Amino acid sequence: MRPGEQRPVEGGACGGVSELELLKLRAAERIDEAAERLGALSRAIWSEPELAYEEHHAHRVLTSFFERESPAASWAVQPHYQLPTAFRAEWEPAGVQEPSATRRPLHLCFLCEYDALPGIGHACGHNLIAEVGAAAALGVKGALESLPGPPPPVKVIVLGTPAEEDGGGKIDLIEAGAFKNLDVVLMAHPSQENAAYLPDVAEHDMTVKYYGKASHAAAYPWEGVNALDAAVLAYNNLSVLRQQMKPHWRAHGIIKNGGVKPNIIPCYSELIYYFRAPSMKELQVLTKKAEDCFRAAAMSTGCTVEIKAGAHDYYNVLPNKSLWKAYMENGKQLGIEFISEDTMLNSPSGSTDFGNVTFVVPGLHPYFYIGSNALNHTEQYTEAVGSQEAQFYTLRTAKALAMTALDVIFKPDLLERIREDFKLKLQEEEFLNTVE
């Protein structure tokens, strides 16, 4: 066997049900047994929303949850893992033989997000993402603990990843080596429908600053250099560019600073723009066009310009069809109704730092319905993700993730297909993974 491969168990059966299916039932039971604690975990995060890199309450809630869970076979928790509000919790079944050079444990990782949005709290449902990750990990652990024979060599890992909404905490963690040696990474995101995959796109943000010269706007405006004019021209340049933009390209921005008083020629203005495209390759083309628009506005007004990129680009999420097919099969067993593959592949979506993860390790990032038609990033969605109704759908999704993880553990052929899908998608992107 290759490193990380496991013995298949689907040959055994009990009353017509395979051993693997029995393990999946045990995973679901374990999640149901912990439902009250998991719901309390989610509500505690939801009730005190915190912004990127400041998720101290959510971090304490999550690390305490794993430190207190099943003391007899506790999780090994690193509470401040690479970042102040990140964490890593690990569990390995007892009785596993020591790994060798040719056979190491399979490393399965579930991700938790828990930062909120300014002003409207958990309007993207990251409290539920945290709950799903924790619940799925408990389910896999419970299933493996129920095995009558020797457990497989596997390590279950939960990573707490801050700052998805702003900054890119997962990218910080990639750069720190947190995703090194992981075999498969799984998480799930609340939405308006159930989709095993959505084409989350690549994103690049820019802050553009124009510097002019102040002057009295009535007495001697000719002495001034109007930075607001540069910002307005830049905004309009981008609007004109839209005619030549591809259908799936996106450019959206704001004028953050346009002056201090009408009778003073503005000497400073500032814009913030986000640019999105289906791939990193296309994104580079779009951002070059945008920079030309910004520089043209400076040239025509006599301002100087400073263009600063965000700390991290968010990569597009690479699809892993073998993973999403397995997830759909398990979800359907639980009654999940998925949108069609055609709809899935052609649905508009946003951006996430999970995309960067999929360039480093095979990943699954499905979306799940929570019992509400409210849209993400609205006050109505904030209310919906904190509701009791959302709990049924959240835990059902966690069960599907746990069942999929068990397939990965006990089906070597599936793991091999997942790895092949990953390699092929990287090649298609013409993007080499340079992260160590």
Side-chain angles (χ1 to χ4, degrees):
M1 288 187 181
R2 291 177 55 186
E5 291 186 351
Q6 312 300 327
R7 57 181 174 85
V9 301
E10 56 265 50
C14 179
V17 180
S18 72
E19 184 179 349
L20 179 55
E21 292 305 314
L22 290 173
L23 285 176
K24 291 179 179 180
L25 288 172
R26 180 56 190 142
E29 289 170 357
R30 179 70 182 91
I31 291 170
D32 284 335
E33 290 166 3
E36 187 174 339
R37 296 193 300 281
L38 289 162
L41 170 76
S42 177
R43 285 189 296 274
I45 296 170
W46 177 84
S47 65
E48 293 190 32
E50 298 162 303
L51 300 182
Y53 298 110
E54 299 175 5
E55 315 94 329
H56 302 288
H57 168 72
H59 176 267
R60 285 194 300 270
V61 168
L62 281 158
T63 53
S64 296
F65 178 86
F66 283 102
E67 287 167 348
R68 296 170 184 170
E69 186 66 28
S70 56
S74 62
W75 295 80
V77 179
Q78 299 177 61
H80 302 289
Y81 181 70
Q82 307 294 350
L83 297 171
T85 56
F87 71 89
R88 184 182 180 111
E90 297 182 356
W91 174 83
E92 288 184 275
V96 177
Q97 293 181 347
E98 287 294 319
S100 66
T102 59
R103 181 178 170 86
R104 66 165 177 81
L106 180 72
H107 289 186
L108 278 175
C109 182
F110 297 96
L111 301 188
C112 296
E113 294 177 4
Y114 34 90
D115 62 323
L117 289 159
I120 52 176
H122 279 286
C124 208
H126 289 192
N127 60 304
L128 299 183
I129 295 175
E131 182 180 2
V132 165
L138 292 190
V140 173
K141 177 175 178 288
L144 296 178
E145 287 175 329
S146 72
L147 279 169
V154 61
K155 180 180 288 187
V156 181
I157 299 161
V158 181
L159 277 182
T161 60
E164 190 277 336
E165 292 290 354
D166 184 20
K170 295 182 190 64
I171 307 169
D172 295 325
L173 290 169
I174 289 171
E175 293 175 350
F179 288 87
K180 188 175 181 180
N181 295 327
L182 299 183
D183 291 290
V184 177
V185 176
L186 309 97
M187 63 172 287
H189 196 298
S191 183
Q192 293 75 48
E193 65 276 311
N194 293 299
Y197 165 81
L198 286 179
D200 288 286
V201 297
E203 187 269 337
H204 175 87
D205 60 79
M206 293 185 201
T207 298
V208 183
K209 300 178 180 180
Y210 291 105
Y211 299 92
K213 179 183 176 184
S215 182
H216 197 294
Y220 28 86
W222 53 86
E223 294 292 336
V225 177
N226 196 317
L228 177 58
D229 284 349
V232 171
L233 282 175
Y235 190 93
N236 288 332
N237 286 347
L238 265 294
S239 296
V240 172
L241 176 64
R242 293 179 198 279
Q243 185 179 6
Q244 276 71 50
M245 283 171 50
K246 292 184 178 182
H248 295 295
W249 289 4
R250 296 288 184 269
H252 33 254
I254 61 169
I255 298 176
K256 185 179 179 181
N257 190 314
V260 294
K261 203 168 182 228
N263 64 347
I264 303 173
I265 297 291
C267 64
Y268 175 77
S269 66
E270 181 178 339
L271 302 95
I272 299 176
Y273 259 87
Y274 290 177
F275 300 96
R276 306 180 198 256
S279 68
M280 287 300 297
K281 189 174 181 180
E282 285 191 55
L283 183 63
Q284 291 171 358
V285 176
L286 175 57
T287 55
K288 172 61 169 62
K289 291 178 180 290
E291 287 187 10
D292 289 344
C293 289
F294 293 136
R295 296 188 193 283
M299 184 179 296
S300 63
T301 57
C303 292
T304 57
V305 62
E306 176 185 316
I307 301 174
K308 184 178 180 181
H312 299 301
D313 286 346
Y314 282 18
Y315 295 178
N316 48 299
V317 173
L318 296 184
N320 193 295
K321 198 165 187 177
S322 296
L323 258 178
W324 98 46
K325 289 287 188 184
Y327 175 77
M328 288 181 70
E329 290 174 7
N330 287 303
K332 288 175 180 177
Q333 291 182 29
L334 296 168
I336 298 177
E337 296 181 4
F338 293 96
I339 61 175
S340 69
E341 185 170 323
D342 183 64
T343 302
M344 182 175 76
L345 294 174
N346 291 284
S347 294
S349 192
S351 305
T352 170
D353 57 358
F354 187 82
N356 301 63
V357 174
T358 65
F359 279 73
V360 178
V361 59
L364 177 67
H365 186 273
Y367 286 81
F368 63 98
Y369 174 70
I370 63 167
S372 171
N373 293 323
L375 299 176
N376 295 63
H377 291 212
T378 65
E379 293 178 354
Q380 293 77 20
Y381 208 72
T382 302
E383 182 179 353
V385 299
S387 70
Q388 183 59 37
E389 184 180 7
Q391 285 300 297
F392 167 79
Y393 301 100
T394 300
L395 295 182
R396 183 174 66 170
T397 298
K399 293 172 187 176
L401 274 190
M403 293 162 68
T404 304
L406 290 169
D407 281 334
V408 174
I409 294 170
F410 291 106
K411 293 182 177 180
D413 58 332
L414 173 60
L415 181 59
E416 188 63 31
R417 292 197 304 273
I418 290 168
R419 287 169 170 161
E420 287 302 316
D421 286 355
F422 172 65
K423 292 176 185 176
L424 286 173
K425 285 301 175 183
L426 277 182
Q427 291 171 3
E428 288 176 13
E429 289 286 322
E430 300 177 358
F431 192 94
L432 296 177
N433 172 23
T434 58
V435 178
E436 294 297 328

